[in-house]
PDB file of all heavy atoms in Angstrom:
ATOM      1  N   GLY A 204     -20.861  20.500 -31.157  1.00 97.00           N
ATOM      2  CA  GLY A 204     -20.272  20.877 -29.863  1.00 97.00           C
ATOM      3  C   GLY A 204     -18.768  20.836 -29.942  1.00 97.00           C
ATOM      4  O   GLY A 204     -18.189  19.777 -30.197  1.00 97.00           O
ATOM      5  N   MET A 205     -18.120  21.984 -29.757  1.00 97.00           N
ATOM      6  CA  MET A 205     -16.657  21.981 -29.838  1.00 97.00           C
ATOM      7  C   MET A 205     -16.049  22.317 -28.486  1.00 97.00           C
ATOM      8  O   MET A 205     -15.451  23.356 -28.270  1.00 97.00           O
ATOM      9  CB  MET A 205     -16.150  22.933 -30.921  1.00 97.00           C
ATOM     10  CG  MET A 205     -14.725  22.556 -31.321  1.00 97.00           C
ATOM     11  SD  MET A 205     -14.063  23.437 -32.722  1.00 97.00           S
ATOM     12  CE  MET A 205     -13.691  25.014 -31.993  1.00 97.00           C
ATOM     13  N   GLY A 206     -16.205  21.388 -27.559  1.00 96.00           N
ATOM     14  CA  GLY A 206     -15.543  21.476 -26.262  1.00 96.00           C
ATOM     15  C   GLY A 206     -14.376  20.509 -26.244  1.00 96.00           C
ATOM     16  O   GLY A 206     -13.654  20.363 -27.233  1.00 96.00           O
ATOM     17  N   GLY A 207     -14.212  19.819 -25.106  1.00 97.00           N
ATOM     18  CA  GLY A 207     -13.090  18.899 -24.953  1.00 97.00           C
ATOM     19  C   GLY A 207     -13.116  17.768 -25.971  1.00 97.00           C
ATOM     20  O   GLY A 207     -12.155  17.549 -26.717  1.00 97.00           O
ATOM     21  N   LEU A 208     -14.218  17.033 -26.017  1.00 98.00           N
ATOM     22  CA  LEU A 208     -14.330  15.943 -26.990  1.00 98.00           C
ATOM     23  C   LEU A 208     -14.388  16.505 -28.413  1.00 98.00           C
ATOM     24  O   LEU A 208     -13.730  16.003 -29.328  1.00 98.00           O
ATOM     25  CB  LEU A 208     -15.595  15.104 -26.727  1.00 98.00           C
ATOM     26  CG  LEU A 208     -15.437  13.843 -25.864  1.00 98.00           C
ATOM     27  CD1 LEU A 208     -14.872  14.170 -24.496  1.00 98.00           C
ATOM     28  CD2 LEU A 208     -16.762  13.105 -25.720  1.00 98.00           C
ATOM     29  N   GLY A 209     -15.198  17.546 -28.579  1.00 98.00           N
ATOM     30  CA  GLY A 209     -15.463  18.057 -29.920  1.00 98.00           C
ATOM     31  C   GLY A 209     -14.214  18.555 -30.627  1.00 98.00           C
ATOM     32  O   GLY A 209     -14.014  18.271 -31.808  1.00 98.00           O
ATOM     33  N   HIS A 210     -13.362  19.264 -29.925  1.00 98.00           N
ATOM     34  CA  HIS A 210     -12.199  19.821 -30.640  1.00 98.00           C
ATOM     35  C   HIS A 210     -11.222  18.723 -31.041  1.00 98.00           C
ATOM     36  O   HIS A 210     -10.607  18.800 -32.097  1.00 98.00           O
ATOM     37  CB  HIS A 210     -11.530  20.932 -29.816  1.00 98.00           C
ATOM     38  CG  HIS A 210     -10.431  20.497 -28.909  1.00 98.00           C
ATOM     39  ND1 HIS A 210     -10.646  19.795 -27.747  1.00 98.00           N
ATOM     40  CD2 HIS A 210      -9.092  20.654 -28.994  1.00 98.00           C
ATOM     41  CE1 HIS A 210      -9.485  19.565 -27.155  1.00 98.00           C
ATOM     42  NE2 HIS A 210      -8.526  20.065 -27.894  1.00 98.00           N
ATOM     43  N   VAL A 211     -11.128  17.685 -30.208  1.00 98.00           N
ATOM     44  CA  VAL A 211     -10.281  16.545 -30.592  1.00 98.00           C
ATOM     45  C   VAL A 211     -10.922  15.806 -31.773  1.00 98.00           C
ATOM     46  O   VAL A 211     -10.228  15.368 -32.693  1.00 98.00           O
ATOM     47  CB  VAL A 211     -10.069  15.591 -29.392  1.00 98.00           C
ATOM     48  CG1 VAL A 211      -9.352  14.329 -29.821  1.00 98.00           C
ATOM     49  CG2 VAL A 211      -9.281  16.291 -28.290  1.00 98.00           C
ATOM     50  N   ALA A 212     -12.255  15.720 -31.753  1.00 98.00           N
ATOM     51  CA  ALA A 212     -12.966  15.061 -32.858  1.00 98.00           C
ATOM     52  C   ALA A 212     -12.707  15.767 -34.177  1.00 98.00           C
ATOM     53  O   ALA A 212     -12.512  15.122 -35.219  1.00 98.00           O
ATOM     54  CB  ALA A 212     -14.466  15.011 -32.566  1.00 98.00           C
ATOM     55  N   VAL A 213     -12.709  17.096 -34.147  1.00 99.00           N
ATOM     56  CA  VAL A 213     -12.440  17.855 -35.376  1.00 99.00           C
ATOM     57  C   VAL A 213     -11.054  17.500 -35.912  1.00 99.00           C
ATOM     58  O   VAL A 213     -10.879  17.210 -37.103  1.00 99.00           O
ATOM     59  CB  VAL A 213     -12.549  19.376 -35.109  1.00 99.00           C
ATOM     60  CG1 VAL A 213     -12.084  20.171 -36.334  1.00 99.00           C
ATOM     61  CG2 VAL A 213     -13.983  19.751 -34.743  1.00 99.00           C
ATOM     62  N   LYS A 214     -10.076  17.485 -35.023  1.00 99.00           N
ATOM     63  CA  LYS A 214      -8.701  17.191 -35.456  1.00 99.00           C
ATOM     64  C   LYS A 214      -8.589  15.768 -35.988  1.00 99.00           C
ATOM     65  O   LYS A 214      -7.935  15.526 -37.011  1.00 99.00           O
ATOM     66  CB  LYS A 214      -7.732  17.373 -34.277  1.00 99.00           C
ATOM     67  CG  LYS A 214      -7.571  18.819 -33.819  1.00 99.00           C
ATOM     68  CD  LYS A 214      -6.483  18.891 -32.751  1.00 99.00           C
ATOM     69  CE  LYS A 214      -6.277  20.322 -32.281  1.00 99.00           C
ATOM     70  NZ  LYS A 214      -4.974  20.504 -31.611  1.00 99.00           N
ATOM     71  N   ILE A 215      -9.195  14.815 -35.294  1.00 99.00           N
ATOM     72  CA  ILE A 215      -9.067  13.417 -35.709  1.00 99.00           C
ATOM     73  C   ILE A 215      -9.800  13.188 -37.028  1.00 99.00           C
ATOM     74  O   ILE A 215      -9.263  12.551 -37.948  1.00 99.00           O
ATOM     75  CB  ILE A 215      -9.589  12.466 -34.610  1.00 99.00           C
ATOM     76  CG1 ILE A 215      -8.639  12.494 -33.399  1.00 99.00           C
ATOM     77  CG2 ILE A 215      -9.735  11.043 -35.144  1.00 99.00           C
ATOM     78  CD1 ILE A 215      -9.106  11.669 -32.206  1.00 99.00           C
ATOM     79  N   ALA A 216     -11.025  13.712 -37.144  1.00 99.00           N
ATOM     80  CA  ALA A 216     -11.792  13.504 -38.380  1.00 99.00           C
ATOM     81  C   ALA A 216     -11.071  14.126 -39.566  1.00 99.00           C
ATOM     82  O   ALA A 216     -11.033  13.549 -40.663  1.00 99.00           O
ATOM     83  CB  ALA A 216     -13.201  14.085 -38.225  1.00 99.00           C
ATOM     84  N   ALA A 217     -10.475  15.308 -39.350  1.00 98.00           N
ATOM     85  CA  ALA A 217      -9.720  15.948 -40.434  1.00 98.00           C
ATOM     86  C   ALA A 217      -8.504  15.089 -40.786  1.00 98.00           C
ATOM     87  O   ALA A 217      -8.185  14.894 -41.965  1.00 98.00           O
ATOM     88  CB  ALA A 217      -9.303  17.355 -40.024  1.00 98.00           C
ATOM     89  N   ALA A 218      -7.828  14.559 -39.756  1.00 98.00           N
ATOM     90  CA  ALA A 218      -6.656  13.709 -40.023  1.00 98.00           C
ATOM     91  C   ALA A 218      -7.051  12.431 -40.748  1.00 98.00           C
ATOM     92  O   ALA A 218      -6.265  11.868 -41.514  1.00 98.00           O
ATOM     93  CB  ALA A 218      -5.950  13.374 -38.702  1.00 98.00           C
ATOM     94  N   MET A 219      -8.278  11.977 -40.539  1.00 98.00           N
ATOM     95  CA  MET A 219      -8.765  10.786 -41.249  1.00 98.00           C
ATOM     96  C   MET A 219      -9.105  11.108 -42.706  1.00 98.00           C
ATOM     97  O   MET A 219      -9.380  10.209 -43.498  1.00 98.00           O
ATOM     98  CB  MET A 219     -10.001  10.217 -40.543  1.00 98.00           C
ATOM     99  CG  MET A 219      -9.690   9.518 -39.228  1.00 98.00           C
ATOM    100  SD  MET A 219     -11.218   9.027 -38.365  1.00 98.00           S
ATOM    101  CE  MET A 219     -10.538   7.939 -37.090  1.00 98.00           C
ATOM    102  N   GLY A 220      -9.153  12.398 -43.025  1.00 98.00           N
ATOM    103  CA  GLY A 220      -9.402  12.792 -44.412  1.00 98.00           C
ATOM    104  C   GLY A 220     -10.829  13.201 -44.712  1.00 98.00           C
ATOM    105  O   GLY A 220     -11.173  13.467 -45.865  1.00 98.00           O
ATOM    106  N   ALA A 221     -11.677  13.266 -43.684  1.00 98.00           N
ATOM    107  CA  ALA A 221     -13.073  13.649 -43.902  1.00 98.00           C
ATOM    108  C   ALA A 221     -13.181  15.163 -44.113  1.00 98.00           C
ATOM    109  O   ALA A 221     -12.289  15.920 -43.729  1.00 98.00           O
ATOM    110  CB  ALA A 221     -13.924  13.242 -42.695  1.00 98.00           C
ATOM    111  N   GLU A 222     -14.295  15.560 -44.722  1.00 98.00           N
ATOM    112  CA  GLU A 222     -14.626  16.990 -44.814  1.00 98.00           C
ATOM    113  C   GLU A 222     -15.390  17.345 -43.549  1.00 98.00           C
ATOM    114  O   GLU A 222     -16.497  16.854 -43.337  1.00 98.00           O
ATOM    115  CB  GLU A 222     -15.490  17.240 -46.056  1.00 98.00           C
ATOM    116  CG  GLU A 222     -15.866  18.698 -46.233  1.00 98.00           C
ATOM    117  CD  GLU A 222     -16.970  18.878 -47.267  1.00 98.00           C
ATOM    118  OE1 GLU A 222     -16.732  18.625 -48.456  1.00 98.00           O
ATOM    119  OE2 GLU A 222     -18.086  19.257 -46.850  1.00 98.00           O
ATOM    120  N   VAL A 223     -14.801  18.176 -42.708  1.00 99.00           N
ATOM    121  CA  VAL A 223     -15.340  18.386 -41.361  1.00 99.00           C
ATOM    122  C   VAL A 223     -16.029  19.746 -41.237  1.00 99.00           C
ATOM    123  O   VAL A 223     -15.477  20.771 -41.651  1.00 99.00           O
ATOM    124  CB  VAL A 223     -14.218  18.295 -40.301  1.00 99.00           C
ATOM    125  CG1 VAL A 223     -14.803  18.427 -38.898  1.00 99.00           C
ATOM    126  CG2 VAL A 223     -13.446  16.992 -40.444  1.00 99.00           C
ATOM    127  N   THR A 224     -17.209  19.713 -40.655  1.00 98.00           N
ATOM    128  CA  THR A 224     -17.957  20.933 -40.329  1.00 98.00           C
ATOM    129  C   THR A 224     -18.191  20.954 -38.829  1.00 98.00           C
ATOM    130  O   THR A 224     -18.510  19.916 -38.238  1.00 98.00           O
ATOM    131  CB  THR A 224     -19.328  20.925 -41.047  1.00 98.00           C
ATOM    132  OG1 THR A 224     -19.105  20.931 -42.458  1.00 98.00           O
ATOM    133  CG2 THR A 224     -20.167  22.133 -40.659  1.00 98.00           C
ATOM    134  N   VAL A 225     -18.048  22.110 -38.219  1.00 98.00           N
ATOM    135  CA  VAL A 225     -18.369  22.242 -36.799  1.00 98.00           C
ATOM    136  C   VAL A 225     -19.738  22.893 -36.652  1.00 98.00           C
ATOM    137  O   VAL A 225     -20.054  23.868 -37.339  1.00 98.00           O
ATOM    138  CB  VAL A 225     -17.315  23.098 -36.062  1.00 98.00           C
ATOM    139  CG1 VAL A 225     -17.715  23.299 -34.599  1.00 98.00           C
ATOM    140  CG2 VAL A 225     -15.938  22.450 -36.150  1.00 98.00           C
TER     141      VAL A 225
END
Side-chain angles (χ1 to χ4, degrees):
M205 200 172 76
L208 265 58
H210 91 287
V211 173
V213 172
K214 292 186 179 199
I215 291 176
M219 287 174 168
E222 181 193 293
V223 184
T224 297
V225 176

